[in-house]
Amino acid sequence: KNVRLGKYIWHIIGKLLDATICTRTTYHRFLCKMTLSDAWVDFVAGWCSGAASVLALQPLDTILTRWQAGLVVEGAGGGSSAAFVRSMAGSVTESAGLVALWRGSSPMIGAVPIQNSLLMGGYGVGQKYSENYAPNHRIAAVFVGGCTGGVLQSFLMSPVELVKISQQCAGKSLTAASGEVVGNIYHSTAWRGLGATLLRDGIPHGIWFAAYEVCKERLHAHVTEDPIIVPLTSGAIAATVAWGVGYPADLIKTRIQASDKPLSIIDTARLLVRESEGRVIAGLYRGFGLKLVRSVPASMIGFTAYELVKSSLEGM
């Protein structure tokens, strides 16, 4: 049964990739118009975008992941969020030093640039598609492109983040954590949390890209055309809006992947609400403030790196 599940997942990935490349005559003609250099520009810019974000903000991700997983440091729970974060950082670095804050960064540095290449590639395709075939619905085209890219990259990021969370929460080495996932790639355990990942990365990524485009247009029209300020501000607003929609799924995904026993999305949501004494918002948005502290700068850095690298490559 587990082997069939793994093969079925890879079958879905193949179908999604086939659909992305060309399934309709109109889309095929569009791809023919998009030059190879266009695709490589989006790929390289997306790669640089993802790498910059991971390197800069992995320490905050480690602290947030342990918070979401319910690993509470003794004596920190009753204080402020800032005190909790300081205590968690101290606990993480106490045994292994500052390098422990970058625990789990290796798989992310390897995978997130590819993830961002898919996302930014879809972003670029959405832009060019709208310019050629839907000039009056450009934001809708970008939204659909973002959703498609988010769904596709979920099949990459779900097992990669399982490796990362095993390192951050269970203290496993990269070799041990990745070996477990790769060795069970046709087993359901390697895809634990995939459903929540799809919920987190589908529609929220469409919102993320669409919000970024809308903000960029408004800033260009009414405020400034500065090549640094515009992507920084637009990226910050887009991240805030997107995570406002997708954060509960991210929290649920982390709790599922950090658990030693199988949990469903519904059961995990109920558990989180129960832990917050029945307060739904408090339960499903636990750690949301810290998520924004990490994700807003990540979005600002990512979009700015993307825009700068893309403009540089196009100017060559």
Side-chain angles (χ1 to χ4, degrees), residues 2-3 5-7 9-10 155 159 179-191:
N2 289 323
V3 172
L5 174 63
K7 290 182 177 178
I9 289 173
W10 285 115
F155 291 95
E180 288 181 5
V181 172
V182 173
N184 293 292
I185 198 65
Y186 289 120
H187 193 282
S188 59
T189 55
W191 299 95

Side-chain angles (χ1 to χ4, degrees), residues 75-254:
S80 65
S81 295
F84 184 93
V85 170
R86 286 195 299 269
S87 179
M88 182 69 78
S91 176
V92 171
T93 59
E94 185 176 354
S95 59
L98 286 175
V99 70
L101 291 173
W102 274 268
R103 186 180 292 158
S105 62
S106 296
M108 298 302 288
I109 289 174
V112 169
I114 300 174
Q115 170 204 18
N116 275 276
S117 296
L118 291 173
L119 288 173
M120 295 302 184
Y123 173 60
V125 168
Q127 282 185 314
K128 295 184 184 302
Y129 179 84
S130 63
E131 291 170 0
N132 285 278
Y133 297 103
N136 297 323
H137 303 282
R138 191 174 67 82
I139 299 301
V142 171
F143 172 78
V144 172
C147 290
T148 303
V151 169
L152 283 173
Q153 62 98 45
S154 295
F155 291 95
L156 167 69
M157 295 311 299
S158 181
V160 168
E161 290 188 14
L162 181 58
V163 173
K164 176 184 78 76
I165 288 173
S166 294
Q167 289 187 266
Q168 292 174 321
C169 297
K172 295 181 181 179
S173 67
L174 174 61
T175 302
S178 58
E180 288 181 5
V181 172
V182 173
N184 293 292
I185 198 65
Y186 289 120
H187 193 282
S188 59
T189 55
W191 299 95
R192 191 164 70 244
L194 176 60
T197 306
L198 288 167
L199 290 176
R200 181 198 68 182
D201 291 348
I203 291 177
H205 271 94
I207 294 173
W208 187 40
F209 283 108
Y212 177 76
E213 282 298 310
V214 170
C215 291
K216 190 168 71 170
E217 285 183 356
R218 297 294 186 271
L219 289 172
H220 277 157
H222 304 293
V223 182
T224 180
E225 294 186 1
D226 188 281
I228 300 297
I229 294 176
V230 170
L232 280 175
T233 305
S234 300
I237 295 173
T240 302
V241 174
W243 279 114
V245 174
Y247 185 76
D250 182 65
L251 175 57
I252 290 169
K253 177 204 72 70
T254 299

